[in-house]
Amino acid sequence: MSAERVALLRGINVGGVRITSAELAAVFTDLGLRSVSTVLATGNVCFSGAIELATIERALSERFGYSARVILVEVSDLASLLTRTPFAEDPERHRYVVFADPAPDHIETWTALTGWDAEGEDRVAGDPEGHVLWWSVPRGSSTTTPFAKATARAGTRGLNITTRNIGTLQKILARAS
């Protein structure tokens, strides 16, 4: 398979939004996209073909009855991003990438996250090349730290934001290639 893009869906299989990988892939195939493949059950879809973000979000929202939020990433950008990860592997910590697509009315929220103190429990580093942050957090606390809570609040307040573990991103890249 050789996919060109990855759709990262926010809030899949949590909070009552249950979508199987087969159902998710079917939406992308029905939109006329090629090389469609899902990775894990967390809303990761590799595909090829030109399509607008709004078209994907509308199709998902109509099919599954929720307000779909999607971040689109070029496979080549994902590969580059993974080579720039600033945090070394540490058996005591998880490493994540926080992706965002801030609309003009959410720039202030995104800016607050990018300015997060890089010390302490949450270690955060920005990427000068795009709307992503790298985040390192102690194992077992990825939903309870101050930064975790801040990103969750940002998402519920309308910022198009989603987080993926580095290991998940490596699996996505392997599937897309």
Side-chain angles (χ1 to χ4, degrees):
M1 181 183 148
S2 182
E4 300 164 348
R5 299 167 92 187
V6 179
L8 305 172
L9 285 67
R10 182 176 193 278
I12 296 299
N13 295 331
V14 296
V17 178
R18 301 284 178 216
I19 303 171
T20 68
S21 293
E23 292 172 317
L24 186 55
V27 170
F28 283 74
T29 301
D30 291 348
L31 288 170
L33 299 168
R34 303 174 314 282
S35 301
V36 175
S37 177
T38 61
V39 181
L40 303 174
T42 55
N44 310 297
V45 184
C46 303
F47 67 93
S48 292
I51 191 164
E52 295 293 322
L53 174 64
T55 302
I56 294 171
E57 290 179 334
R58 187 173 40 255
L60 291 167
S61 296
E62 289 172 1
R63 174 84 176 264
F64 302 113
Y66 82 109
S67 181
R69 302 301 301 271
V70 178
I71 302 278
L72 290 179
V73 181
E74 298 292 327
V75 170
S76 59
D77 292 341
L78 180 58
S80 174
L81 180 68
L82 288 174
T83 66
R84 299 191 316 271
T85 303
F87 301 117
E89 288 188 53
D90 179 340
E92 302 298 318
R93 302 182 70 82
H94 281 297
R95 300 177 303 155
Y96 294 91
V97 177
V98 179
F99 296 86
D101 186 10
D105 55 337
H106 293 102
I107 292 294
E108 187 175 312
T109 301
W110 177 245
T111 301
L113 292 174
T114 62
W116 201 269
D117 183 1
E119 296 300 320
E121 188 174 31
D122 290 305
R123 296 182 187 148
V124 180
D127 178 24
E129 295 185 32
H131 289 294
V132 301
L133 296 172
W134 287 282
W135 173 38
S136 174
V137 63
R139 287 186 180 275
S141 61
S142 63
T143 60
T144 59
T145 68
F147 186 77
K149 291 176 181 179
T151 58
R153 276 192 309 276
T156 60
R157 292 180 179 158
L159 177 64
N160 191 8
I161 187 170
T162 193
T163 302
R164 294 296 187 278
N165 183 290
I166 294 287
T168 298
L169 294 174
Q170 290 167 334
K171 289 176 184 174
I172 292 169
L173 188 57
R175 176 72 56 90
S177 300

